[in-house]
């Protein structure tokens, strides 16, 4: 019996509580993994390749508890990379 499962199978097994650490998720042929699915996989111990993770901005819900104006901030990615490891 093979321990390899597809991303879809892994997500179904995780949801049902049947996923085990002996299983290996196969990413061959996968073009993208939704960010929330990547989080679920990560919590189960599956390392999702960064280049496959996609974010759907239209699916992001506003935080009703947030009270205040949204403010843009400057970000220096190069500086962040140099200090993060």
């Amino acid at each position: 019996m093979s321990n390899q499962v597809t991303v879809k199978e892994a997500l179904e097994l995780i949801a049902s509580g049947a996923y085990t650490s002996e299983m290996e998720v196969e990413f061959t042929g996968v073009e993208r993994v939704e960010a929330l699915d990547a989080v679920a996989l990560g919590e189960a111990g599956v390392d999702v390749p960064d280049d496959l993770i996609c974010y759907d901005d239209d699916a992001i819900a506003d935080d009703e508890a947030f009270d205040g104006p949204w403010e843009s901030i400057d970000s220096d990615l190069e500086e962040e990379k140099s200090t993060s490891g």
Side-chain angles (χ1 to χ4, degrees), residues 5-17:
V5 295
T6 65
V7 172
K8 182 180 177 183
E9 290 169 333
L11 290 167
E12 290 170 357
L13 291 167
I14 290 167
S16 69

Side-chain angles (χ1 to χ4, degrees), residues 34-36 54-64 70:
E34 294 291 333
L36 292 177
C54 68
Y55 304 86
D56 182 3
D57 288 340
D58 293 333
I60 297 174
D62 287 335
D63 183 354
E64 298 297 327
W70 288 103

Side-chain angles (χ1 to χ4, degrees), residues 27-77:
F27 290 99
T28 303
V30 174
E31 292 183 23
R32 56 190 240 167
V33 176
E34 294 291 333
L36 292 177
D37 291 340
V39 169
L41 290 164
E43 288 176 348
V46 178
D47 187 22
V48 179
D50 289 342
D51 60 324
L52 295 181
I53 301 173
C54 68
Y55 304 86
D56 182 3
D57 288 340
D58 293 333
I60 297 174
D62 287 335
D63 183 354
E64 298 297 327
F66 178 77
D67 184 27
W70 288 103
E71 297 177 15
S72 295
I73 60 170
D74 293 328
S75 175
D76 187 341
L77 294 177

Side-chain angles (χ1 to χ4, degrees), residues 50 75-85:
D50 289 342
S75 175
D76 187 341
L77 294 177
E78 291 303 315
E79 182 178 341
E80 183 179 334
K81 287 178 186 177
S82 71
T83 61
S84 65

